[in-house]
Amino acid sequence: MMRWPSLLLSAATFWSVVNAGIDPWQSPEYKYIFQYPLPIPPVLPPSTTYTNTSTGKTIDFYEINIQAFDKQTYPNLGLTSYVGYNGMAPGPTLKMTKGREAVVRFVNSYSRPSSIHLHGSYSRTPFDGWAEDVTNPGQYKDYYYPNAQPVRTLWYHDHAIGITAVNAYFGQAGFYILEDQAVSEKLKLPTGDYDIPLMLASKQFLPSGKLLSPENERVSLYGDVNTVNGQPWPYLNVENRKYKFRLLDASISRTYSLYLVADSAPNTKIPFTVVGADAGYLDHPVVTSTLDIAMAERYEIVIDFDKYKNQNLTLMNARDFQTNPDYPATDRVLRFVVGDKVSSSEGNGAIAGHLGDLAIPPSRTTIDQEFTFERTNGQWLINGIGFEDIKNRVIAYPPQGKVQRWRLINKSGGWSHPIHIHLIDFQVVKRSGSGRSGVMPYEAAALKDVVYLGTNEEVEVIANFAPWSGVYMFHCHNLVHEDHDMMAAFNVSQVDLSTFGYPEKISFNDPMAPLFRAKSFSGTDLNQVRDVLLPYFQNIDAYPDADSVLKALDDYYKNPPSTSKTTTSSSATSVVTVPTSSTLITSTTKKSTTTTSSAATSTTCNSGGKGKSTC
């Protein structure tokens, strides 16, 4: 039950900041803070499953409908119109088992195009959610996912060209959780009812209770209403024990600097433990009292409520953080109401000192690419290029299986940019130029796919561009910036591995490959799906064992064949001819098998114009 004295913290917090640069409400004032429970998105079961009797490989099939719906957000106002997955926002949670592939069919029953990106997955390009690979109203597309990476918190969301901000803001986002029972049993962290996804998203509402659309926004829509799993300022009843929370910032423009306090001591930050990030478990747990999380970043944290029986704790958001405007209640996020009984002690022990064996890329000091994220003549661009510049938007050509170091630059004190690079997990190795203290400890212990590029910052990341080749996007995850037009592409130049046991039956380099485009929807025959569609996907060999592919790439660069084939991709994406050729954690157990031998590089590939490589 909610304890009403907790409202004293809200009132005290409000009056303490009235004269501290707090902007007035933009939405109708929300008068029900911490009075409604936290909703938990339901887990969607597969519709059917196919198991190959010869190989034992299993593939599950799911179907999700993109549709409009209304629900009550403000108790005292009209209904709010959303567009979500299966009539809910966030969409249903997809819980996947590592080693079991999946096909997820998205059916567009709405009036706008959609494209689905599984954020955090190394999906092949036709299934990665290329912005122009849209599913129009009345169509469906089958997305084929490997579910083979280290366990992690992923999320699926819209990525349609020019309208990603609108589609995601109105509800097209959901959790996709990759699990492994063996890992869970080894680490013994909280699971089941004690493992809770929290999707943070800041919104702005109209006097009617409808959402203000970001459609005409060109700078940012920060929002003044913090929602968690779709509910403004909810509360959650918890037992006095450890919980794991999977945090995701699904806002289109707002970043958070989170901390935890008890009502009894609102000026004292309570430490918690970061155990996971974008690419899964950290190398080791990191205890912190503050966590910065930008759009699309995920962090997994463990909070121990044992010392706070019959108290309220509040997840707070720091004022005056980076470029985010402050409103009367944006300093509060979620209330925990702690009980005094524990139902289960499973997953309630000490946190292991070592969590995950990270595939840390080999050290590299050379800067291979430098990208400046800036606003020019009202457009958000990368090195002066936007995604609409079709002929020039492919601006990097890393060879498949090669390690590169990228420098990301933000010269502005007025904007910040969370940068997402598709396909890869990278290591954040350097941050400079801002008031923040370099690479945060929880970043240094992790692999990431989004890095927060704050005001006047430079950040450097290292990644192995593998295991697949093809054309992928990278962009700012402030979705207003992405739509207008801070997104470009990189072409992972394909290496011919046919002599190393990996001939490619079908090319997956082109994200607009006609074979995998959306089709008209007339219904789903689950028998046909089980007996025809799923065996077909298994047989195209889109996802050979990634570790073996990495080993083959390593062998290729050590002993390149005397002759190689050249693969050409051509599509509306202007894909060029590709060649066939804090304290940071260093890997001690599972380092990438690829090398950065300059000899191998010079033997197989030579530098061409605009960073292209030819063999």
Side-chain angles (χ1 to χ4, degrees):
M1 293 292 294
M2 182 64 195
R3 282 185 281 278
W4 294 105
S6 65
L7 294 178
L8 293 174
L9 173 63
S10 302
T13 303
F14 172 74
W15 289 113
S16 68
V17 297
V18 164
N19 296 316
I22 309 304
D23 294 328
W25 286 93
Q26 304 297 301
S27 303
E29 181 180 355
Y30 190 85
K31 301 178 180 180
Y32 308 91
I33 293 176
F34 303 142
Q35 295 185 34
Y36 285 85
L38 174 76
I40 308 295
V43 175
L44 182 70
S47 301
T48 190
T49 298
Y50 165 76
T51 300
N52 187 312
T53 55
S54 299
T55 65
K57 291 180 64 176
T58 298
I59 184 168
D60 295 311
F61 176 81
Y62 300 80
E63 185 169 312
I64 292 178
N65 197 25
I66 304 166
Q67 60 189 103
F69 67 98
D70 293 334
K71 76 170 186 177
Q72 197 80 45
T73 304
Y74 276 74
N76 58 330
L77 299 177
L79 295 175
T80 306
S81 297
Y82 294 91
V83 182
Y85 298 122
N86 284 1
M88 63 186 76
T93 296
L94 298 176
K95 281 195 173 182
M96 301 292 178
T97 299
K98 182 178 178 179
R100 291 174 68 106
E101 296 177 336
V103 170
V104 184
R105 173 169 293 180
F106 286 89
V107 181
N108 191 350
S109 301
Y110 184 52
S111 59
R112 291 179 179 268
S114 292
S115 178
I116 312 302
H117 174 49
L118 179 54
H119 190 132
S121 173
Y122 58 22
S123 306
R124 302 305 294 262
T125 63
F127 314 113
D128 189 55
W130 180 261
E132 293 169 321
D133 180 27
V134 297
T135 301
N136 287 308
Q139 293 184 321
Y140 76 95
K141 172 158 175 158
D142 292 330
Y143 289 83
Y144 180 26
Y145 298 134
N147 297 336
Q149 293 162 282
V151 295
R152 61 185 62 193
T153 301
L154 306 91
W155 64 303
Y156 62 99
H157 64 83
D158 184 79
H159 216 300
I161 187 166
I163 57 172
T164 296
V166 174
N167 285 353
Y169 184 78
F170 274 86
Q172 292 184 49
F175 281 100
Y176 188 109
I177 297 173
L178 184 59
E179 299 179 312
D180 185 333
Q181 185 63 29
V183 174
S184 297
E185 291 176 356
K186 176 184 176 182
L187 295 182
K188 301 185 184 306
L189 290 169
T191 59
D193 291 341
Y194 307 103
D195 179 353
I196 299 176
L198 300 176
M199 183 182 292
L200 314 183
S202 187
K203 310 281 188 181
Q204 185 172 332
F205 293 84
L206 298 169
S208 63
K210 303 287 187 184
L211 279 168
L212 173 71
S213 175
E215 187 164 8
N216 296 319
E217 182 58 59
R218 294 297 181 270
V219 178
S220 288
L221 180 55
Y222 292 101
D224 58 348
V225 175
N226 287 332
T227 69
V228 186
N229 294 349
Q231 171 62 44
W233 293 288
Y235 72 88
L236 175 67
N237 289 321
V238 296
E239 298 176 7
N240 55 305
R241 54 152 291 161
K242 289 186 175 75
Y243 281 73
K244 184 171 79 170
F245 297 101
R246 299 174 185 260
L247 295 167
L248 159 67
D249 182 1
S251 305
I252 63 170
S253 297
R254 179 173 289 278
T255 56
Y256 294 88
S257 184
L258 302 173
Y259 63 98
L260 188 67
V261 299
D263 280 12
S264 57
N267 296 319
T268 302
K269 295 180 179 179
I270 298 171
F272 52 88
T273 305
V274 184
V275 296
D278 302 342
Y281 285 119
L282 307 188
D283 174 86
H284 58 268
V286 174
V287 177
T288 184
S289 58
T290 303
L291 177 71
D292 298 342
I293 182 169
M295 295 80 82
E297 286 190 297
R298 288 91 65 211
Y299 284 105
E300 298 176 25
I301 66 172
V302 173
I303 300 176
D304 190 351
F305 297 102
D306 185 51
K307 297 179 181 178
Y308 302 96
K309 297 177 185 178
N310 299 315
Q311 295 188 52
N312 291 335
L313 274 61
T314 303
L315 188 64
M316 304 288 291
N317 178 37
R319 297 285 192 187
D320 194 29
F321 176 63
Q322 289 282 309
T323 58
N324 301 275
D326 292 321
Y327 296 101
T330 50
D331 62 332
R332 283 152 283 166
V333 179
L334 173 64
R335 168 64 41 81
F336 298 108
V337 181
V338 186
D340 58 5
K341 292 182 175 61
V342 175
S343 305
S344 170
S345 60
E346 186 175 353
N348 197 33
I351 299 174
H354 176 68
L355 298 171
D357 296 331
L358 307 188
I360 299 295
S363 177
R364 184 171 179 80
T365 58
T366 301
I367 301 297
D368 298 281
Q369 302 286 345
E370 187 171 280
F371 300 109
T372 299
F373 297 79
E374 58 191 345
R375 194 179 190 204
T376 304
N377 297 324
Q379 276 193 303
W380 302 98
L381 303 174
I382 306 174
N383 285 3
I385 295 171
F387 200 71
E388 292 179 357
D389 188 354
I390 295 176
K391 292 183 179 180
N392 298 302
R393 65 186 176 192
V394 180
I395 61 176
Y397 300 81
Q400 182 184 7
K402 283 293 187 178
V403 171
Q404 290 200 344
R405 184 174 181 133
W406 287 14
R407 177 181 289 154
L408 314 175
I409 303 171
N410 177 16
K411 295 180 180 179
S412 172
W415 319 111
S416 58
H417 307 290
I419 306 304
H420 173 40
I421 306 174
H422 288 224
L423 173 67
I424 59 170
D425 298 335
F426 55 73
Q427 184 183 26
V428 183
V429 295
K430 184 178 180 181
R431 174 181 283 112
S432 61
S434 76
R436 293 199 290 164
S437 55
V439 179
M440 307 304 290
Y442 44 80
E443 291 178 304
L447 289 176
K448 304 269 293 157
D449 57 48
V450 179
V451 63
Y452 186 39
L453 184 61
T455 55
N456 295 309
E457 279 188 353
E458 292 187 8
V459 172
E460 294 177 17
V461 302
I462 297 179
N464 183 12
F465 285 80
W468 324 126
S469 59
V471 181
Y472 290 89
M473 299 171 288
F474 72 107
H475 55 86
C476 175
H477 225 289
N478 180 324
L479 297 183
V480 176
H481 298 181
E482 175 189 322
D483 283 343
H484 306 286
D485 191 31
M486 194 172 269
M487 181 162 66
F490 61 96
N491 189 337
V492 180
S493 305
Q494 184 175 9
V495 165
D496 180 12
L497 294 177
S498 57
T499 59
F500 294 86
Y502 292 95
E504 199 165 63
K505 299 177 183 178
I506 299 173
S507 175
F508 299 96
N509 290 334
D510 184 358
M512 298 286 281
L515 183 63
F516 302 111
R517 296 297 304 281
K519 303 172 180 63
S520 295
F521 183 68
S522 59
T524 297
D525 181 343
L526 289 179
N527 289 326
Q528 189 271 346
V529 167
R530 183 191 64 234
D531 298 336
V532 179
L533 181 71
L534 298 185
Y536 163 76
F537 273 114
Q538 276 203 347
N539 289 334
I540 63 176
D541 201 25
Y543 299 111
D545 179 72
D547 288 338
S548 298
V549 172
L550 291 173
K551 177 62 167 59
L553 287 165
D554 188 35
D555 292 340
Y556 174 92
Y557 286 116
K558 288 178 179 177
N559 300 288
S562 56
T563 58
S564 299
K565 299 176 183 177
T566 300
T567 303
T568 302
S569 284
S570 60
S571 74
T573 61
S574 293
V575 180
V576 300
T577 300
V578 295
T580 54
S581 43
S582 298
T583 301
L584 297 172
I585 299 304
T586 56
S587 176
T588 56
T589 53
K590 194 179 179 183
K591 192 171 289 187
S592 171
T593 59
T594 58
T595 69
T596 55
S597 166
S598 58
T601 302
S602 62
T603 302
T604 56
C605 296
N606 297 311
S607 176
K610 294 185 179 179
K612 301 176 186 177
S613 52
T614 56
C615 293

